[in-house]
Amino acid sequence: MPHVPTPDHDEPTTAPAPRRVSRRRLLLALAGAAALTAVPLGVTPAGAAPTRAAERAARRTATRAAERVAALLAQLTLDEKTALLHGATDPDALGQAGYVPGVPRLGIPALRLADGPAGVRVRKAATALPAPVMLAAAFDPGLARAYGRVIGHEGRALGQDVLLSPMVNLIRTPYAGRNFETFSEDPLLSADLVAEEIRGIQAEGLIATVKHLALNNQERDRMSVDVRAGEQTLHETELRGFEAAVAAGAGAVMAAYNKVDGVHATESRALLTHVLRERWGFDGWVMSDWGAVHSTMPALTAGCDMEMPGGAYYGAALRRAVRDGRIDEAAVDTAVRRVLAVRERFGLLEDPSDVAPRPERDPRAGARLAFRVATAGATLLRNERGTLPLTGRAVRSIAVVGPTGSVPFVSGGGSAHVVPEAAVSPLDALRARAGAGATVTYALGEDVYGKPLARTEPADRLDDVRVASGASFSYEGTLTTTADDDWSFFVHYSGRRPGVTLDGDELFAAGYVNGGLGGRAADGLQVRRADRRLTAGTHRVTVTAQGGTAGQRIRLRAAGGADRATDLAEAVTAARAADSVVFFAYEDATEGRDRTHLALPGRQDALIRAVTAANPRTTVVLNTSSAVTMPWLDHTGAVLQMYYPGQEGGPATAAVLFGDVDPGGRLTQTFPRSETAHPTAGDPVRYPGQGGVEEYGEGVHVGHRWYDAEDVTPLFPFGHGLSYTRFAYERLTVVPDADGLQVTFTVTNTGTRAGVEVAQVYAGPSPDLAARGIDQPLRLLAGYRRLPLAPGERRRITVPVAARTLSSWDVARHDWVLGTGAREVWVGASSRDLRLRARTWVAA
């Protein structure tokens, strides 16, 4: 969602000691116990069936809850009912994304809703966790549950009731601006992880909101594009994660901006009623994405219960529709009942005197988990000539190059951006880890914040302007350029964005504010960037700024060809003088904007070529949201994918580079070789859509399945990731059972170091379904297991493959059909590194 509040660094108020055990605390304790027994989708733990006594107790509790909700509903006026179904202005805002007022006369408290894909986004400091795509790279549902518990605990501590997360839309195109906010291109992996994260969040008493239902797989034209996927494609790919979220007990679902088959998602009865509630049994409430409601009666009756952030179509419009007889008040009651039922379930209809105090934040626990996720998700893509880990002579002198070496790249932009109390830069972490006996130098390489603007007349007025409260500032001058050149301009500001024109054109037009790496300078000032091609000569510049009520600071900066040449020369000199180079490359993604290409932004590709030519013992660390092309790959010593690694990204990166921990991540998205060799390349109907319509022409062959179906070799395949040790696979057996397949094999660490392997199981198509004309992937991910192994350790493991994973959606039956007959099973280290193969028989 596009809400971007501005956080600050105030500490939350310490909560008082609890007075007594409340009904809410008891409910949360039971929820926590349930979450600890959670397992990946399709796997039932032995002995997990509830006792008859527990079932009877649950029924009694549910009956009492329903009676209480019914009693409240009977007392609500129409005005009060409709007020519970849309957002409003928070009289005591905490910097969160949304607020729904309560009904004081009935003891119904207000509701606060916060963004939180990678940490709770409010004004106060919160733990900035690694991006969800980095969490997913660990292939560890248990870690996803722990991730959710940290966010759930902090959300409660920071005064929130609802988390607007997790996002489970699939990574379908590498251009999508929010790929870092979600998990994977694979339906099974995404389903496993979202279910466990939700269990973790809700075990702490925070309501989780799975989003965005459905097919919100790009930012470009997201408010209007009509997405058409087909029934089989929809159920087998995008919907599987949402179904898992519902099975995990998600309290809320967010309907997407886009249309699905010609109907706005917020008006899709097919999705919100037939699939979500009738097929899956969802008993929570559906809210809109922020500003995604386009009607009153069609949205409400389709199953969209709450309009956010305001009441343009619900609120007064809904009351008029009821009073005019255009909408039956029973439809309003249904929506209110859903909202109240979830609030009752989470203890959010309690009398204030019976509510346990909110917990305190635990920053140390959050930091520990952030570090653990960053190391677990660190993905080593390439490692030649023993470049990593950094040991021996390689550590004597290290040159660190790149802006994200000295500036911590904590998180992406938009609603996922979190600012913690502090974050250590990779440069400082590397210096600390290298120790006093090593020399660690730094070169900027490429400037992302600009340099003081030279060659302006009048001069020296634009690099640190302070505008007093109630005052204004204006500047009119000229910039002289000596050659035709590409320029980057940067405005830094602490208040309202200044107006800046170049030759009469506004440089920084209104638009979505990034908020990621380039969105805020080291001293906290907001930053906007604009790139322009200028001819040699004189160019007119104007600046206007307002001090507002608190005053503000501004600066206008720029970088031209001469600046870039100087930065490049310094980087090459530093690289040539060092034993090892660690080059930090970046790509700054954000909600609200898709990428326009897969190359690293700016001139980073050329800079990496120059640095690797000066020193081939160069490790490129990628702080990117998604796949990037790598024309310089063969010249590097190593490539480490670190995504947006959160507040502990600096120490985590250092730990991996020095070999203190094994890089434990594997790719959850395929990296293509070029702009023309991926599932949405060269077909505007597939992406970004044509004439307002986008078709998922790849069908069920999403992500790595497409590369197999089209026999296209990727740059790095799904599931790829290297270790500092080696692993051997042997003795594969596959045994069918009533629940699917039991796939058993042995993995051995054949190296001399402890390491982590992610063993992956893939299944081939069913000949019986093929005979019926049902399209199937050549290979699909059927299971996996994350395995930490000591040197020489051998483990025999069994990976269950659920019957659902072996099934396809039959559009003739509108249901799942088990794929019977002879089926092949592969086991290996990635979708293209398959070590073992067997054939089995699946019977109905």
Side-chain angles (χ1 to χ4, degrees):
M1 68 196 55
H3 185 81
V4 188
T6 303
D8 60 26
H9 297 278
D10 294 338
E11 283 289 347
T13 303
T14 301
R19 292 167 294 178
R20 58 194 175 100
V21 177
S22 69
R23 175 174 165 276
R24 173 185 176 81
R25 176 163 291 182
L26 178 59
L27 289 171
L28 297 187
L30 293 172
L36 292 176
T37 64
V39 293
L41 182 72
V43 181
T44 303
T51 65
R52 290 183 178 179
E55 289 177 342
R56 287 194 297 271
R59 284 196 295 269
R60 286 195 300 272
T61 300
T63 299
R64 286 195 296 269
E67 290 171 349
R68 186 176 187 204
V69 167
L72 282 173
L73 186 59
Q75 299 175 71
L76 289 167
T77 67
L78 179 61
D79 285 358
E80 290 168 339
K81 292 174 187 176
T82 56
L84 292 171
L85 300 182
H86 67 82
T89 300
D90 189 346
D92 187 22
L94 304 175
Q96 79 281 0
Y99 170 84
V100 177
V103 183
R105 75 178 184 87
L106 296 178
I108 299 175
L111 201 67
R112 289 186 168 90
L113 308 87
D115 293 324
V120 183
R121 184 177 174 84
V122 293
R123 277 199 297 266
K124 294 181 178 180
T127 299
L129 294 167
V133 73
M134 192 169 201
L135 166 69
F139 278 73
D140 186 347
L143 187 60
R145 190 187 318 137
Y147 187 96
R149 294 200 78 146
V150 166
I151 297 177
H153 181 88
E154 291 213 337
R156 291 288 303 154
L158 293 169
Q160 303 304 303
D161 307 300
V162 181
L163 185 76
L164 304 172
S165 180
M167 175 178 173
V168 75
N169 301 103
L170 293 182
I171 297 175
R172 176 178 175 262
T173 174
Y175 300 110
R178 298 179 83 172
N179 282 347
F180 68 95
E181 280 192 61
T182 191
F183 300 111
S184 169
E185 69 187 21
D186 187 82
L188 172 68
L189 180 61
S190 296
D192 288 349
L193 297 174
V194 76
E196 291 306 298
E197 184 179 343
I198 285 170
R199 289 183 175 108
I201 292 165
Q202 297 192 159
E204 298 294 330
L206 196 67
I207 299 170
T209 307
V210 64
K211 63 186 186 183
H212 313 82
L213 187 67
L215 301 173
N216 184 180
N217 306 108
Q218 66 190 59
E219 294 301 279
R220 184 167 171 179
D221 302 325
R222 65 174 177 168
M223 308 291 286
S224 60
V225 67
D226 179 8
V227 186
R228 301 179 183 179
E231 184 180 332
Q232 182 189 3
T233 298
L234 185 63
H235 280 273
E236 289 192 27
T237 61
E238 178 81 354
L239 289 188
R240 187 158 187 189
F242 289 97
E243 182 181 6
V246 170
V253 169
M254 182 184 290
Y257 284 121
N258 51 276
K259 297 175 184 174
V260 177
D261 291 330
V263 179
H264 286 290
T266 52
E267 299 171 8
S268 175
R269 186 171 181 81
L271 281 177
L272 304 185
T273 296
H274 296 325
V275 172
L276 184 62
R277 293 193 169 95
E278 295 174 358
R279 172 169 284 276
W280 296 344
F282 177 63
D283 59 0
W285 91 80
V286 174
M287 71 180 75
S288 73
D289 205 337
W290 269 222
V293 172
H294 300 271
S295 64
T296 303
M297 183 172 68
L300 184 71
T301 57
C304 183
D305 304 305
M306 182 179 289
E307 178 189 10
M308 295 300 289
Y313 291 96
Y314 285 18
L318 179 55
R319 290 192 293 274
R320 285 195 301 271
V322 171
R323 287 165 179 155
D324 293 346
R326 290 178 285 118
I327 293 180
D328 193 321
E329 190 168 349
V332 176
D333 290 350
T334 297
V336 174
R337 185 180 297 109
R338 290 167 179 158
V339 174
L340 293 179
V342 177
R343 295 179 66 163
E344 165 69 13
R345 170 182 156 198
F346 282 82
L348 297 175
L349 294 180
E350 298 284 350
D351 184 286
S353 64
D354 192 39
V355 177
R358 291 180 182 269
E360 296 183 28
R361 279 191 67 223
D362 189 346
R364 291 185 179 181
R368 287 193 299 269
L369 193 279
F371 180 86
R372 179 181 166 198
V373 172
T375 53
T379 306
L380 185 60
L381 301 179
R382 172 182 169 88
N383 192 19
E384 301 293 323
R385 303 180 297 276
T387 300
L388 293 179
L390 297 173
T391 58
R393 181 176 176 177
V395 183
R396 293 189 315 181
S397 64
I398 302 171
V400 176
V401 179
T404 52
S406 64
V407 177
F409 200 159
V410 173
S411 59
S415 57
H417 188 60
V418 179
V419 179
E421 292 100 335
V424 175
S425 73
L427 176 62
D428 289 340
L430 285 167
R431 281 176 171 159
R433 177 59 183 81
T439 300
V440 180
T441 60
Y442 177 70
L444 178 63
E446 182 181 22
D447 201 329
V448 295
Y449 301 123
K451 304 181 188 304
L453 194 60
R455 298 191 296 277
T456 54
E457 181 62 38
D460 301 327
R461 289 198 60 196
L462 297 176
D463 195 50
D464 192 4
V465 178
R466 296 175 186 270
V467 187
S469 172
S472 61
F473 168 82
S474 63
Y475 170 91
E476 184 172 341
T478 57
L479 167 67
T480 301
T481 59
T482 58
D484 295 355
D485 198 2
D486 293 321
W487 283 75
S488 297
F489 293 90
F490 307 82
V491 63
H492 302 209
Y493 56 100
S494 62
R496 182 178 179 182
R497 178 176 55 82
V500 182
T501 69
L502 180 67
D503 294 330
D505 294 327
E506 178 62 46
L507 268 179
F508 308 102
Y512 200 86
V513 178
N514 192 327
L517 170 71
R520 194 170 293 273
D523 61 358
L525 268 62
Q526 297 179 75
V527 178
R528 296 289 295 275
R529 173 176 176 162
D531 297 317
R532 294 289 187 274
R533 178 75 178 176
L534 298 184
T535 57
T538 300
H539 302 271
R540 180 170 171 267
V541 178
T542 70
V543 181
T544 58
Q546 305 299 319
T549 58
Q552 73 159 319
R553 294 173 58 201
I554 65 169
R555 34 181 192 255
L556 184 66
R557 293 188 167 184
D563 302 309
R564 289 189 293 271
T566 298
D567 290 340
L568 186 147
E570 290 176 352
V572 169
T573 298
R576 188 174 290 120
D579 291 309
S580 300
V581 179
V582 182
F583 188 109
F584 286 85
Y586 74 93
E587 175 262 318
D588 200 3
T590 182
E591 177 186 0
R593 184 183 70 209
D594 278 352
R595 301 160 68 189
T596 57
H597 52 74
L598 300 185
L600 291 168
R603 288 167 173 76
Q604 291 181 92
D605 284 343
L607 182 59
I608 294 173
R609 285 185 182 276
V611 168
T612 54
N615 189 334
R617 197 176 177 82
T618 296
T619 296
V620 176
V621 177
L622 293 169
N623 291 131
T624 62
S625 69
S626 190
V628 295
T629 50
M630 305 181 197
W632 34 261
L633 180 64
D634 292 342
H635 304 286
T636 63
V639 178
L640 178 64
Q641 178 69 44
M642 289 298 293
Y643 300 102
Y644 301 155
Q647 67 181 54
E648 303 301 314
T653 302
V656 173
L657 291 174
F658 280 87
D660 301 333
V661 295
D662 200 46
R666 303 295 185 266
L667 289 181
T668 69
Q669 56 189 301
T670 309
F671 277 30
R673 285 192 174 276
S674 71
E675 301 271 0
T676 61
H678 58 80
T680 59
D683 187 349
V685 176
R686 288 192 186 185
Y687 175 83
Q690 201 167 55
V693 176
E694 180 183 47
E695 297 180 3
Y696 284 25
E698 69 274 25
V700 299
H701 306 284
V702 65
H704 58 95
R705 302 174 179 184
W706 178 89
Y707 288 86
D708 289 340
E710 300 296 326
D711 195 22
V712 173
T713 301
L715 183 64
F716 295 110
F718 175 88
H720 172 74
L722 304 177
S723 167
Y724 291 148
T725 186
R726 299 177 302 279
F727 302 95
Y729 289 73
E730 59 183 344
R731 299 174 55 204
L732 171 63
T733 63
V734 181
V735 178
D737 64 13
D739 297 321
L741 302 175
Q742 298 294 316
V743 181
T744 303
F745 52 94
T746 299
V747 182
T748 304
N749 180 348
T750 60
T752 59
R753 300 173 59 99
V756 175
E757 177 66 319
V758 176
Q760 300 157 47
V761 177
Y762 293 84
S766 157
D768 296 346
L769 293 183
R772 293 168 58 176
I774 296 176
D775 196 17
Q776 301 171 79
L778 292 180
R779 270 188 299 273
L780 56 80
L781 181 69
Y784 52 89
R785 180 71 60 81
R786 181 180 178 85
L787 293 169
L789 296 173
E793 183 180 359
R794 174 178 297 175
R795 288 182 62 188
R796 187 149 182 84
I797 64 166
T798 297
V799 175
V801 176
R804 165 62 71 83
T805 301
L806 300 171
S807 301
S808 293
W809 184 267
D810 187 344
V811 296
R813 299 185 181 185
H814 305 294
D815 207 348
W816 293 96
V817 178
L818 180 65
T820 54
R823 301 192 68 162
E824 288 188 291
V825 173
W826 295 266
V827 174
S830 81
S831 65
R832 292 296 177 96
D833 183 7
L834 302 172
R835 314 282 182 86
L836 305 174
R837 181 177 181 175
R839 184 179 290 264
T840 190
W841 187 269
V842 177

